[in-house]
Amino acid sequence: GTIFNRLLRFSDGRGYVDSAGMIVFYLLLAVFSVGVGSILGSDDFLVAFGAGYGFARDGWFSKKIKDAHLPDVTDLLLNSAMFIYLGTIMPWEAFSARDITPYVTPWRLFGFAALVLCFRRIPIMLATYKINPDIRTFREALFCGHFGPMGLGAIFLAIEARATLETGTSEPLPHPPKFSPPYSNREKAVEMLWPVICFVVMCSTFVHGLSVLGLSLASHFRRKEGERAPLLAQETDPLDGMEHERPEDMDTDHEED
């Protein structure tokens, strides 16, 4: 990812690539990373993630394509399509106790999802934000810790884990296996893995999706009558950038330059 970033900087500095080519560049990087991961026998998902981090960690690419709306449209289209598909394959019947998974009950699932949402990111972000140059306040650390939704990555890894338990490889069985008692621990794990992960992803989707609405509503009703936006929850103040990225700070930086 870092090498591709340098190559793109080199090409852009000499006028070898236009804005459309830059947008396509990171899509090709994703395909290339998945291919390299598959050839090496590694986890292609982690390879693509690492390449994306190395490619965009300095923020240069995001600034270059800031005015291009194609990435936003592409992300919206793909995310909407995939989450609609996820809703259609949600194992609703597996969210209650069965003979092979007697401990998978709605209350336990809700409790587990709440613990995951509370302790997966927030504590580590609050503990390390003082050594993170991109996070300057406790509020920013809490914001970044909360907004870490789980989605397709978790589903992908759940499929990988289930395939490993079923076949010992990354290729899952074409149809879910039917187990009969007495159940082994491996068979219980196979049946428990998919509903638990799907339920956590569903809760994450609802919680993080409604959090933005909640922040906007809170900002709306904190204002006086004459200062509110014409439409309910149209305020975006709670969603402003980090402290050092606010307009007044940017103006100060320009003056110093």
Side-chain angles (χ1 to χ4, degrees):
T2 303
I3 293 174
F4 268 65
N5 180 285
R6 298 301 178 186
L7 287 174
L8 187 58
R9 281 175 175 266
F10 177 84
S11 301
D12 180 64
R14 286 158 178 76
Y16 297 158
V17 62
D18 56 7
S19 57
M22 295 186 68
I23 294 173
V24 175
F25 195 84
Y26 78 100
L27 296 176
L28 296 178
L29 173 62
V31 176
F32 178 78
S33 302
V34 171
V36 170
S38 299
I39 292 173
L40 297 178
S42 180
D43 191 329
D44 48 5
F45 178 79
L46 293 179
V47 173
F49 174 81
Y53 172 76
F55 181 70
R57 64 175 179 172
D58 58 359
W60 174 81
F61 182 74
S62 299
K63 293 177 181 178
K64 293 294 292 186
I65 64 170
K66 185 176 181 180
D67 296 330
H69 299 290
L70 181 59
D72 297 333
V73 174
T74 304
D75 290 342
L76 179 61
L77 178 62
L78 294 178
N79 285 332
S80 300
M82 292 306 299
F83 275 102
I84 290 174
Y85 175 71
L86 177 61
T88 62
I89 64 173
M90 194 67 63
W92 303 103
E93 71 284 351
F95 292 157
S96 57
R98 296 176 294 166
D99 57 343
I100 191 172
T101 55
Y103 301 110
V104 178
T105 61
W107 290 113
R108 283 193 173 96
L109 288 173
F110 275 112
F112 179 72
L115 291 174
V116 170
L117 293 175
C118 290
F119 295 102
R120 186 176 71 100
R121 284 172 54 98
I122 294 177
I124 190 64
M125 293 299 296
L126 295 180
T128 61
Y129 79 92
K130 291 185 178 180
I131 61 175
N132 189 333
D134 292 326
I135 302 176
R136 296 191 176 183
T137 65
F138 180 88
R139 183 180 178 183
E140 290 179 1
L142 183 62
F143 185 91
C144 293
H146 172 68
F147 281 99
M150 290 157 281
L152 299 182
I155 296 298
F156 171 80
L157 293 177
I159 295 174
E160 286 270 315
R162 178 160 181 161
T164 302
L165 291 172
E166 290 176 349
T167 64
T169 67
S170 60
E171 293 290 335
L173 296 175
H175 301 286
K178 300 293 183 180
F179 301 120
S180 57
Y183 304 112
S184 65
N185 290 333
R186 182 186 64 82
E187 293 171 345
K188 292 179 181 179
V190 169
E191 290 295 323
M192 187 181 300
L193 182 66
W194 182 247
V196 171
I197 298 301
C198 285
F199 190 86
V200 172
V201 170
M202 181 182 67
C203 290
S204 174
T205 302
F206 278 106
V207 170
H208 294 108
L210 295 176
S211 293
V212 176
L213 176 62
L215 291 173
S216 298
L217 286 174
S219 177
H220 180 85
F221 288 109
R222 279 203 306 263
R223 295 173 180 268
K224 297 179 180 179
E225 287 290 341
E227 298 177 354
R228 294 176 180 175
L231 296 178
L232 185 64
Q234 196 177 26
E235 284 83 358
T236 59
D237 292 352
L239 306 179
D240 284 345
M242 298 299 185
E243 293 289 341
H244 55 292
E245 292 181 352
R246 291 184 175 178
E248 56 268 22
D249 295 333
M250 295 177 66
D251 293 339
T252 303
D253 294 339
H254 289 315
E255 291 175 0
E256 292 177 355
D257 294 340

